[in-house]
Amino acid sequence: NTIIGAIRKGLLKIHRTPGGHARIAQDDLDDFCHRRSLPTTSLISRNNRILLVEDGAQHVSVLAQGLRDSGYLVEIAGDSFGAGFLLAKFQPNLLLASIAKAGDLGDEVSRKVRALPRHRDLSTIALVTHRDADAQRLALSAGVDDVLSRPVELDELLQRIREIRASEKRFY
């Protein structure tokens, strides 16, 4: 009702499609919500979705919660079927994949994602065992964009996500 009232009063600009439907630019809506202390749409944006691919480590829920607390929508896949399902349904903007050795879930998913034309440009960060050079080489050969060693500090991960965001137009 607040949005409809603002449109009627001319406080919020709409654009008409050729079919006559009303559309509001995302920036205009976010600005309107901010000026009126309304909840913004940033948390439902399609540009803050992270798929975490991990097959059982305990730290996953802590990492996922930290990302959620930072404003990201996070889904966790524990097997390749779940990862494929979430790639289609959730449509993430970033893939966090745990890679320790060849054939790991994160390695498998990263390689398969790079082979799919639709997801070829999906930003990917690998999480590898601390100072494991073989795992780092494997992750890079799987086509990931960045590699982080475990244990992962949330601040460092968020910084890397921001760097990817700044360097790639397709993310965010």
Side-chain angles (χ1 to χ4, degrees):
N1 287 336
T2 302
I3 301 296
I4 293 170
I7 292 169
R8 288 184 181 145
K9 292 176 185 175
L11 300 173
L12 190 55
K13 294 184 285 185
I14 61 169
H15 307 280
R16 293 277 177 195
T17 65
H21 299 282
R23 297 289 183 256
I24 302 170
Q26 184 71 48
D27 291 339
D28 291 342
L29 182 59
D30 287 340
D31 183 56
F32 175 83
C33 290
H34 178 72
R35 283 185 280 129
R36 285 162 180 75
S37 299
L38 298 171
T40 65
T41 59
S42 63
L43 289 180
I44 59 171
S45 171
R46 300 190 68 73
N47 296 326
N48 64 343
R49 296 170 182 254
I50 297 175
L51 176 58
L52 179 54
V53 177
E54 176 68 67
D55 52 3
Q58 295 175 341
H59 74 284
V60 173
S61 59
V62 174
L63 183 60
Q65 189 57 50
L67 290 166
R68 287 182 185 115
D69 291 345
S70 299
Y72 293 95
L73 297 173
V74 180
E75 289 287 340
I76 301 170
D79 58 37
S80 58
F81 178 80
F85 176 77
L86 288 170
L87 274 172
K89 181 180 179 232
F90 184 59
Q91 299 178 356
N93 304 97
L94 178 73
L95 176 69
L96 286 178
S98 176
I99 299 176
K101 62 185 184 317
D104 273 359
L105 176 61
D107 173 49
E108 178 185 341
V109 170
S110 296
R111 289 179 190 283
K112 288 182 178 178
V113 163
R114 289 292 186 230
L116 297 170
R118 182 175 182 195
H119 298 293
R120 184 172 292 131
D121 292 331
L122 180 65
S123 298
T124 306
I125 297 176
L127 307 175
V128 300
T129 306
H130 183 62
R131 296 184 185 178
D132 186 343
D134 291 336
Q136 290 179 355
R137 280 192 295 278
L138 177 66
L140 292 171
S141 73
V144 302
D145 297 307
D146 202 352
V147 178
L148 284 174
S149 296
R150 289 189 186 169
V152 177
E153 293 291 330
L154 182 60
D155 290 338
E156 182 181 4
L157 177 59
L158 292 171
Q159 179 61 34
R160 298 284 180 97
I161 291 171
R162 283 190 293 272
E163 288 170 6
I164 287 175
R165 179 182 179 187
S167 68
E168 298 178 2
K169 298 291 183 193
R170 67 181 182 270
F171 186 57
Y172 291 86

